[in-house]
Amino acid sequence: MQNGIDDDTAASCLAALGHPTRLKLYRTLVRAGPDGAPVGALQESLGVPASTLSHHVQALAGAGLVVQERNGRVLTTRADYDTMNRLIGFLTDQCCQGM
Amino acid sequence: MQNGIDDDTAASCLAALGHPTRLKLYRTLVRAGPDGAPVGALQESLGVPASTLSHHVQALAGAGLVVQERNGRVLTTRADYDTMNRLIGFLTDQCCQGM
DNA sequence: CCTATAATTCGATATTTCTAGAAATATAGT
DNA sequence: ACTATATTTCTAGAAATATCGAATTATAGG
């Protein structure tokens, strides 16, 4: 199975998710499933200007929470569940005192 | 059992934990156990100036991740596991698509 | 090659966060 | 009252983040 993440990586992930728009964005990608969604579709469903959204997507990508793949003009973004699972593992192991 | 948290509360918790110093702080409190730790002890173990630390503690308290209780001159801070468990529940339920 | 579409990067501003010294508050003991 | 200790609040500057229109890049199809 995947190994754990360090403190600073965990903090980066948490910071990336710690913004209402980005958290909604991430959840939208999770609901979109393993095929992900093009940026344009995210823009429509979140109602955020394209340039703003682009920055938020990059913030999540920088933390490793999403990956992007280009298919022609369309840039598909999808959630990286591995990173999320490692993050949850970190919180469960390091922040819960065996509860 | 505890009920879930909403999007905005989750984002606040994630933002509060999304800072290296605050994440270390929270982990230190978890390791300190249910009795918590006085601010002074945290200051010593983290090596952060008192005023800076005070702000970070308040950031965690504002998100409901820690609670403080005064005993004489000593202000004891302890982790609120309930909030953390709700946060982990949120991430597991809303951000993992049943994985 | 031209046009349309998808998305990013640029540029500029506004806002928030972070940091930490100094001053203030709260409490305890003498 | 006085002094020491614990912690916060005040203040202010620096750094980072957020926002979004306009310009730009990349690609596809005629």
Side-chain angles (χ1 to χ4, degrees), chain A residues 16 19 21-26 28-29 37-43 46 48-69 75-79:
Chain A
H19 184 287
T21 301
R22 282 196 299 266
L23 187 55
K24 281 188 193 73
L25 169 53
Y26 186 83
T28 302
L29 287 171
V39 175
L42 297 169
Q43 192 189 336
L46 292 167
V48 172
S51 61
T52 303
L53 180 60
S54 185
H55 289 305
H56 285 314
V57 172
Q58 283 175 71
L60 290 175
L65 286 160
V66 306
V67 292
Q68 291 187 290
E69 189 184 345
L75 195 59
T76 295
T77 305
R78 57 190 173 71

Side-chain angles (χ1 to χ4, degrees), chain A residues 7 15 18 27 30 81 94 97, chain B residues 7 15 18 27 30 81 94 97:
Chain A
D7 238 46
R27 296 225 289 144
V30 169
Y81 297 111
Q94 309 293 319
Q97 184 145 23
Chain B
D7 238 47
R27 296 223 290 144
V30 169
Y81 298 110
Q94 309 292 319
Q97 184 140 22

Side-chain angles (χ1 to χ4, degrees), chain A residues 7-8 10-11 14-15 17-20 23-24 26-27 30-31 33 81 84-85 88 90-92 94-97 99, chain B residues 7-8 10-11 14-15 17-20 23-24 26-27 30 33-34 81 84-85 88 90-92 94-97 99:
Chain A
D7 238 46
D8 286 341
L14 291 163
L17 293 169
H19 184 287
L23 187 55
K24 281 188 193 73
Y26 186 83
R27 296 225 289 144
V30 169
R31 284 195 303 272
Y81 297 111
M84 176 55 79
N85 285 325
I88 291 173
F90 176 90
L91 292 176
T92 304
Q94 309 293 319
C95 297
C96 274
Q97 184 145 23
M99 288 180 72
Chain B
D7 238 47
D8 286 341
L14 292 163
L17 293 169
H19 184 287
L23 187 55
K24 282 188 192 71
Y26 187 82
R27 296 223 290 144
V30 169
Y81 298 110
M84 177 56 78
N85 286 324
I88 292 173
F90 176 91
L91 292 176
T92 304
Q94 309 292 319
C95 297
C96 274
Q97 184 140 22
M99 288 179 72

Side-chain angles (χ1 to χ4, degrees), chain B residues 13-80:
Chain B
C13 288
L14 292 163
L17 293 169
H19 184 287
T21 301
R22 283 195 297 267
L23 187 55
K24 282 188 192 71
L25 170 52
Y26 187 82
R27 296 223 290 144
T28 302
L29 287 171
V30 169
R31 285 195 303 272
D35 292 342
V39 176
L42 297 170
Q43 193 190 333
E44 192 143 311
S45 95
L46 293 168
V48 173
S51 61
T52 303
L53 181 60
S54 185
H55 288 305
H56 285 314
V57 172
Q58 282 175 71
L60 290 175
L65 285 160
V66 306
V67 292
Q68 292 188 289
E69 187 184 349
R70 179 172 285 279
N71 290 107
R73 280 176 298 196
V74 176
L75 195 59
T76 295
T77 305
R78 57 189 173 73
D80 185 330

